Each structure stands twice: as C-alpha cells, then as structure tokens.
C-alpha cells in the first residue's frame, strides 16, 4: 500500500538514526506519539536501527519507560493497528533519560545515551510547555545536539501572540536553521486534509470553478463536545481563538484558498499558503464587532448527559472564550467578495470538523413548477470523525412528470472509510513523525506562516480588548450564542449543522 502523495526527500538531511522524544510520559505521548511510533515500527516504515529515546521529569529507567509505553499501547492503540508480535521489538527500541527541561545543565545526562558523534542524524520532538522552549534549546546546545545533522519538531502552542512566538522562534533559530525546524500542526497530517489538495489539483472539474465567480461562500467548522477535560491550566486565558483558529482553522482556510503550487513539495506548498495568510483582510477595532462573535458555555446537556458550565468546571470567574465565530475575507482576485465563515467551540452538539464550499446558483433555471426549485450545489468535506467528501447535486425524481418535473437535492458520496476499506485509518501523527524522521517538511508550518497567522489573530484580540468584549453565554449542547447565527444570516447564509 502506498500513501496518497510521494514523499519529497530533503536535500539537507538524511533519515534520522535516533529520535529524542521530550514529554515522553505525558498525555500526548501516551495517546498519540507512542501508538503512532509503534505502528510505523510494526509496518517496517522506520529502519530497524532507529533508536527512540524518551525524556521527561519522571524518575524512570529504560525498563520503567518501556512499562509506561506498553500500558499506553494497551490502552490507546486502535484495534486494527494491534500487532502483539511486534510489541517486544518495539519496546527494545525505547530508552529513557530523566531530566528537568528547565535546567539546561541537566542535559549532560543525554550524552551518555546519545553519544558525542555529531555525524549521526537526529530528530528531536519537543512536546513541552512554551515556557520551557528557551531552556530546552539551551540544554540541547550544551549536550551537543545543535549541529547540522539535527532537526527539531515543535508541538504547539508556540506562544500566545506574535511577540511571544517570536521569542520562541528566535530561541530555536539560535540553534537550528529554518530548514531544520519542523513546526507541527496535527491537522495537516489528516488524510482528508491532504485529500483536499488531491481534490482541487488532481481533478480538472473543480479547479476552474474554485473562485469568486462560482463560489458564494466557504464555511469551516471545528466542533468539540468536550469541555476542559484536564486542560484547565492551559486553556483558561488562551481560549478558542488562539487554541483553534490561529493554527488549525487558518491552515485549513489557507489550503482551501491557496493558488495551485508548482509541485507537491515543501517550498511550493508553503509559499502558496503564506500568500493566502498575508491576504487575509485585517479584522480590527473598527470591524471586530460586526465580524466576530465570542461565547462561553453554561450548563446544559451533551449527548443526553448533563454537563456543568465552563465557570463551574474552572472553579473561578473567567472571560475566556470557549466559542468563536469569524467572518473573514481573502483580499485577492480569486476570492474577491467571498466570505469565509469560521466557527469553533467546546460543548457543541456534535464533534466534527467540516469544510463547506457553497457554490452560486445557476444563472437561469429552465425548470418551472413548485417541484422544480433548484438548490445551489455544495461540496462538504468532513475531516472527522468519519472522513468523507460529499457533493450535493440536483437530480430528477422518478416519475412520468404529468404535473411537471420534480427535482431533489441528492448527494454524490465518497466515504474515504468505505472507498479505501483495505487501508488502515492512520493517526495524523504517524505521517508527521515519519516525515520528521525522514526530513520531509512539506506538512509542517514555516515561521512566516506562523507570524502571518499571529498578526491576524492579534488584531482581533486588540479589537476585543479595546471594546471590552466579553463572551456571550450559550448552553452546552447548542451551536453557540445566537449572535453567531446572526453573523451569517445578515448575509442570507445559514450555518451547515
């Protein structure tokens, strides 16, 4: 079985012979990283001599870390990925070094495990708090892990605004070039996100219509049914705009709106994405009230179960938004006048991520009668939980048409789960970890992308602060405050729920 796209080999690096995993005992590692690495191991996608070294504050040795990893695989590994016979050899790959990332001097312990051969190609994955990036980079330099054969993957959040992001990126740039820096947005590892590029640029029928002349508007929704779920210390003070819109949703918008790249390669794809991000019309103090809506969930019911409000979960007052809706515009020729409606929130009725491309009406209908009302075509791209692509088209109902032709909107469905039933559904981190090990930066985020995203987000937050915006309440299990509905209905548009 082959992946959707051929990999683009890096000219600067070769596949890594060792992977250093920071935050190795944390929640992300246990739920996503270790199961992903096991799947790559079990399928022979990483070389047999690649060593995986975990590190965290936990006082463990190799055997203790292997026990943590085995328990994580038992708990979080998907049924279709289970290969019990491969577990012992995977665990043999694992090693562990306890260290305190806030103390650069403690990194000398890495030398005993990593060795001093600077010719070895090394991949480093940093899943640490943003406050620790500076000391971690300093420690890696002390340990001799800053040479040209090292690349580093950075898990979000990379700061909370443009200034703090620049501090982190400057610290990283002090040790690693941009070509060695792999900023992670796990949405870019999802098959359906990559299929968005295949849909647009691999099919002649779509790209000629992919413009303002034919598309009325675009909707991007990322809905979550969960509340804080153990993220209290991180989420409060961050909010939905920084947590979801700044990274995942703006990356999706860029992929929808980008111009055709010359090729599927790291520079071409990322050049086109950053052009879109720089073309986003700024939402500032003058427009923030008409182009954004914020909300915070109160008690309600999700999935038939009563759930507390955000303040009750948090245990203190807060003005952090758990919901945000935005009306955005991309100011270029292709998208002139086309609104992009973005919506994300916690404690919504359904967990799903979806892109809706709403096409314009046909210029003239040849059909007459009550049963011949035409609906505009829609393209629905579902990213999760089930990945699918659905095109809504008009079709004639069966019959003799004695009272006139009757039309109905029907779906043309491509369920990726069904169409590729012989392929195992992969965790996004499998693709991203393999690309990090192999040195392919195509699906990672470049610094200028991050900065363009933060510039746009910072202007919105400045507008909120200037107007003293506070989140509107919405009941858990609903689609956010009523003002979010008004945001689109002023334009004659309804959210696709």
């Amino acid at each position: 079985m082959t992946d959707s796209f051929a990999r683009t080999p890096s000219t600067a690096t070769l596949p890594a012979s060792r992977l250093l995993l920071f935050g190795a005992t944390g929640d992300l590692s246990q739920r996503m990283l270790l199961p992903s690495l096991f799947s790559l191991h079990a399928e022979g996608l990483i070389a047999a001599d690649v060593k995986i070294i975990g590190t965290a504050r936990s006082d463990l040795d190799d055997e203790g870390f292997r026990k943590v990893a085995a328990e994580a695989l038992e708990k979080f590994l998907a049924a279709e990925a289970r290969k019990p016979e491969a577990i012992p050899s995977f665990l043999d790959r694992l090693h562990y070094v306890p260290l305190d990332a806030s103390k650069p001097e403690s990194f000398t312990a890495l030398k005993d495990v990593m060795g001093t051969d600077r010719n070895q190609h090394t991949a480093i994955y940093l899943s640490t708090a943003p406050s620790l990036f500076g000391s971690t980079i300093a420690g890696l330099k002390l340990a001799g892990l800053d040479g040209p054969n090292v690349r580093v993957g950075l898990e979000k959040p990379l700061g909370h605004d443009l200034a703090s992001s620049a501090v982190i990126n400057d610290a990283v740039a002090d040790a690693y070039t941009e070509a060695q820096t792999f900023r992670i947005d796990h949405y870019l590892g999802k098959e359906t996100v990559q299929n968005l590029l295949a849909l647009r640029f691999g099919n002649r029928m779509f790209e000629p219509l992919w413009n303002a002349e034919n598309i009325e508007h675009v909707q991007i929704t990322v809905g979550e049914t969960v509340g804080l779920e153990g993220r209290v210390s991180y989420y409060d003070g961050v909010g939905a705009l920084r947590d979801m819109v700044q990274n995942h949703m703006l990356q999706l918008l860029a992929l929808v709106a980008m111009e055709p790249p010359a090729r599927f390669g790291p520079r071409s794809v990322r050049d086109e994405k950053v052009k879109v991000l720089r073309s986003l019309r700024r939402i500032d103090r003058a427009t923030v009230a008409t182009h954004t809506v914020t909300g915070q969930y109160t008690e309600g019911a999700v999935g038939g179960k009563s759930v507390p409000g955000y303040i009750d979960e948090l245990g203190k007052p807060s003005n952090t938004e758990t919901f945000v809706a935005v009306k955005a515009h991309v100011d270029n020729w292709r998208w002139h006048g086309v609104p992009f409606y973005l919506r994300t929130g916690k404690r919504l009725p359904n967990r799903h991520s979806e892109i809706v491309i709403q096409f314009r009406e046909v210029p003239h209908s040849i059909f007459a009668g009550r049963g011949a009302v035409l609906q505009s075509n829609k393209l629905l791209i579902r990213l999760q939980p089930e990945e699918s692509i659905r095109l809504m088209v008009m079709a004639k109902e069966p019959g003799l048409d004695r009272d006139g032709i009757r039309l109905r909107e029907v779906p043309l469905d491509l369920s990726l789960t069904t169409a590729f039933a012989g392929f195992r559904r992969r965790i996004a981190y499998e693709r991203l970890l393999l690309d990090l090990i192999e040195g392919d930066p195509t699906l990672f985020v470049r610094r200028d992308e991050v900065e363009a995203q933060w510039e746009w987000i910072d202007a919105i937050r400045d507008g909120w602060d200037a107007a003293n915006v506070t989140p509107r309440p919405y009941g858990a299990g609903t689609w956010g405050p009523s003002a979010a509905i008004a945001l689109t209905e002023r334009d004659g548009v309804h959210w696709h729920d």
Side-chain angles (χ1 to χ4, degrees):
M1 298 180 185
T2 58
D3 286 331
S4 301
F5 299 102
R7 299 190 185 281
T8 306
S10 170
T11 57
T13 55
L14 294 173
S17 61
R18 52 192 184 178
L19 172 65
L20 180 57
L21 192 64
F22 280 78
T25 60
D27 182 63
L28 177 65
S29 178
Q30 294 187 51
R31 286 188 300 108
M32 295 293 178
L33 305 183
L34 290 169
S36 296
L37 288 168
F38 170 77
S39 293
L40 297 176
H41 163 85
E43 295 181 40
L45 294 174
I46 50 179
D49 60 348
V50 173
K51 182 188 294 187
I52 300 171
I53 302 103
T55 184
R57 286 188 179 186
S58 303
D59 187 16
L60 300 173
D61 56 12
D62 288 354
E63 287 307 314
F65 180 48
R66 288 166 183 165
K67 182 179 179 181
V68 169
E71 292 172 352
L73 297 181
E74 177 64 29
K75 186 175 182 180
F76 296 111
L77 194 63
E80 62 270 22
R82 292 185 181 276
K83 295 185 177 180
E85 69 281 3
I87 290 178
S89 55
F90 173 70
L91 296 179
D92 284 344
R93 286 184 188 264
L94 304 183
H95 304 271
Y96 187 82
V97 179
L99 62 79
D100 185 346
S102 67
K103 299 176 180 178
E105 63 273 14
S106 70
F107 281 65
T108 55
L110 283 174
K111 290 184 178 180
D112 295 336
V113 175
M114 303 291 288
T116 57
D117 183 2
R118 294 173 69 89
N119 292 319
Q120 282 199 68
H121 287 265
T122 304
I124 302 172
Y125 190 105
L126 297 185
S127 178
T128 58
S131 60
L132 296 176
F133 274 116
S135 60
T136 300
I137 297 300
L140 289 169
K141 290 177 67 176
L142 284 175
L145 293 169
D146 60 337
N149 295 326
V150 179
R151 51 187 169 271
V152 60
L154 308 175
E155 183 64 60
K156 75 155 192 162
L158 296 180
H160 60 272
D161 57 14
L162 179 59
S164 58
S165 176
V167 170
I168 292 172
N169 281 311
D170 287 346
V172 175
D174 188 49
Y176 307 102
T177 66
E178 183 63 28
Q180 294 172 273
T181 306
F182 290 59
R183 296 173 191 83
I184 293 157
D185 186 330
H186 74 268
Y187 261 55
L188 298 182
K190 292 180 179 291
E191 285 290 346
T192 321
V193 173
Q194 297 162 54
N195 253 310
L196 178 58
L197 298 179
L199 186 75
R200 284 192 59 189
F201 306 126
N203 297 283
R204 187 181 179 94
M205 68 184 76
F206 288 113
E207 187 55 25
L209 302 178
W210 213 264
N211 52 51
E213 184 178 352
N214 299 288
I215 292 176
E216 179 186 273
H217 71 265
V218 176
Q219 297 181 28
I220 302 176
T221 294
V222 178
E224 299 180 279
T225 56
V226 298
L228 288 177
E229 299 293 305
R231 301 177 75 208
V232 175
S233 59
Y234 163 72
Y235 191 86
D236 192 56
V238 174
L241 187 71
R242 291 180 175 128
D243 186 45
M244 294 297 294
V245 179
Q246 185 273 333
N247 41 77
H248 303 327
M249 299 190 78
L250 286 186
Q251 284 291 315
L252 294 178
L253 185 153
L255 290 171
V256 169
M258 65 190 276
E259 295 297 315
R263 60 189 58 84
F264 186 75
R267 181 167 183 175
S268 295
V269 171
R270 297 193 292 183
D271 280 352
E272 297 305 333
K273 283 196 297 174
V274 80
K275 289 178 187 177
V276 173
L277 296 169
R278 288 173 175 164
S279 298
L280 281 170
R281 183 186 304 171
R282 181 169 292 225
I283 299 174
D284 54 19
R285 296 181 181 189
T287 56
V288 72
T290 56
H291 286 64
T292 69
V293 174
T294 66
Q296 186 184 92
Y297 64 83
T298 58
E299 63 181 350
V302 178
K305 295 182 179 180
S306 297
V307 296
Y310 180 79
I311 297 301
D312 299 321
E313 285 188 83
L314 188 63
K316 63 180 181 179
S318 173
N319 282 330
T320 297
E321 81 282 357
T322 63
F323 174 95
V324 64
V326 180
K327 178 182 176 181
H329 290 88
V330 178
D331 284 337
N332 60 21
W333 278 22
R334 181 184 287 263
W335 297 109
H336 177 71
V338 176
F340 286 71
Y341 300 103
L342 313 181
R343 174 180 61 164
T344 185
K346 291 187 174 296
R347 293 297 192 202
L348 300 184
N350 298 315
R351 173 184 172 265
H352 73 257
S353 299
E354 184 176 70
I355 301 168
V356 178
I357 310 296
Q358 177 67 63
F359 291 94
R360 297 190 184 278
E361 296 180 352
V362 296
H364 171 71
S365 175
I366 66 172
F367 306 103
R370 292 175 58 189
V373 177
L374 294 177
Q375 302 291 325
S376 302
N377 302 127
K378 286 194 293 284
L379 181 64
L380 311 176
I381 304 168
R382 179 65 65 91
L383 308 177
Q384 65 179 25
E386 295 296 326
E387 299 172 331
S388 65
I389 299 172
R390 170 180 287 193
L391 179 63
M392 304 303 295
V393 300
M394 298 304 297
K396 174 188 171 298
E397 287 187 0
L400 298 176
D401 310 321
R402 302 298 291 169
D403 298 319
I405 287 179
R406 300 189 67 84
L407 301 177
R408 182 190 300 178
E409 187 180 50
V410 297
L412 297 178
D413 273 333
L414 171 59
S415 167
L416 299 183
T417 304
T418 303
F420 300 107
F423 291 73
R424 181 176 64 80
R425 292 182 64 191
R426 294 189 179 276
I427 303 172
Y429 281 99
E430 290 181 41
R431 174 70 183 256
L432 298 176
L433 283 166
L434 185 59
D435 283 355
L436 175 63
I437 291 170
E438 294 188 342
D440 183 351
T442 306
L443 297 179
F444 295 83
V445 184
R446 210 165 57 192
R447 178 170 183 168
D448 53 355
E449 291 180 69
V450 174
E451 292 179 344
Q453 290 169 185
W454 274 124
E455 286 177 4
W456 194 71
I457 293 296
D458 284 356
I460 294 176
R461 294 208 64 89
D462 175 70
W464 288 353
D465 292 342
N468 197 25
V469 170
T470 56
R472 303 166 188 256
Y474 66 95
T478 67
W479 283 107
S482 59
I485 299 173
L487 179 71
T488 59
E489 289 193 341
R490 286 195 295 266
D491 301 329
V493 172
H494 301 286
W495 289 108
H496 184 265
D497 295 333

